[in-house]
Amino acid sequence: MHWGVEYQTTENAEQDRLAKFLIENDVDIILGSHPHVLQPMKMLEVETEEGEMKEGLVIFSQGNFFSNQRDVNTRNTAIFNIEVKKDGQTGDVRIEKATYVPLYMYIKEPGAENRYQLLDLNEIIRSYESGEDIWSEAMYQLALKEKERCVRLIGPEITHKEEGSIMERLLKK
């Protein structure tokens, strides 16, 4: 969806209304863009006209993937990983998991080689904390700060847990 207000880090009432409408009309996943900043990821549950409950995943805005924008929050983005499970008999689709890799557009000084770098914040933090001599302390601190910003804007990752173990489910039948 191309929606939302540019540079606003939360969804607005129109995005909420459209998301509910789409899910009610059998959309399972909505990927939003336009605001140039990250916005929340949520599972929404709506009631259909038939009175059934329907759930869908909404990523209101994925941020700027690769850009030269420099305003606050415009250099943050993420790669979203969505695991979907489809019931072969009913055709029902279920979002099993929605995770993300927080990224940051690092812009070096004019004239620098490889001036624009899309940085995997988790990888910078992991490699620095494991003692690999790849990233500076300053880059590590930047990664911590920008990862916190991404997590604050997007929200928690989503996982659905099966109800009990296989044995517990079989015993209920």
Side-chain angles (χ1 to χ4, degrees):
M1 288 294 294
H2 188 259
W3 62 2
V5 177
E6 286 188 345
Y7 314 114
Q8 183 176 311
T9 58
T10 56
E11 76 276 15
N12 61 32
E14 180 70 358
Q15 286 170 283
D16 281 331
R17 186 187 69 73
L18 286 169
K20 289 174 184 169
F21 172 81
L22 290 168
I23 293 168
E24 182 180 316
N25 286 280
D26 217 24
V27 171
D28 296 303
I29 301 170
I30 302 168
L31 303 174
S33 68
H34 175 67
H36 299 284
V37 294
L38 290 168
Q39 290 183 340
M41 171 176 68
K42 300 178 181 176
M43 290 299 294
L44 290 183
E45 189 172 53
V46 299
E47 187 174 351
T48 66
E49 287 183 8
E50 295 79 28
E52 296 175 8
M53 297 308 291
K54 169 90 169 77
E55 193 174 53
L57 173 69
V58 183
I59 299 169
F60 286 98
S61 178
Q62 301 168 82
N64 277 333
F65 192 70
F66 198 90
S67 92
N68 187 30
Q69 289 190 325
R70 296 164 186 260
D71 293 335
V72 174
N73 299 319
T74 61
R75 292 164 71 175
N76 301 101
T77 190
I79 294 174
F80 292 88
N81 302 296
I82 303 167
E83 291 183 25
V84 179
K85 183 176 183 181
K86 184 174 183 177
D87 185 304
Q89 293 184 337
T90 67
D92 290 340
V93 173
R94 176 182 167 114
I95 308 300
E96 290 290 307
K97 186 188 291 187
T99 62
Y100 55 90
V101 177
L103 304 171
Y104 180 74
M105 173 53 66
Y106 185 69
I107 304 172
K108 297 178 185 176
E109 66 281 347
E113 188 175 332
N114 301 319
R115 184 162 181 224
Y116 301 95
Q117 290 182 301
L118 193 56
L119 302 177
D120 178 335
L121 301 174
N122 286 340
E123 180 56 24
I124 292 171
I125 294 166
R126 185 208 59 77
S127 65
Y128 185 86
E129 290 179 351
S130 68
E132 296 174 24
D133 191 21
I134 299 171
W135 302 101
S136 67
E137 168 75 18
M139 192 60 82
Y140 170 69
Q141 292 301 324
L142 176 70
L144 289 173
K145 179 181 121 193
E146 295 304 330
K147 178 179 179 177
E148 187 278 326
R149 181 190 314 265
C150 290
V151 171
R152 182 173 37 83
L153 295 174
I154 299 169
E157 295 182 334
I158 296 167
T159 58
H160 282 288
K161 300 203 181 342
E162 290 290 336
E163 297 172 22
S165 68
I166 293 172
M167 185 56 74
E168 288 170 341
R169 288 192 308 257
L170 290 173
L171 291 173
K172 285 183 181 178
K173 291 185 176 184

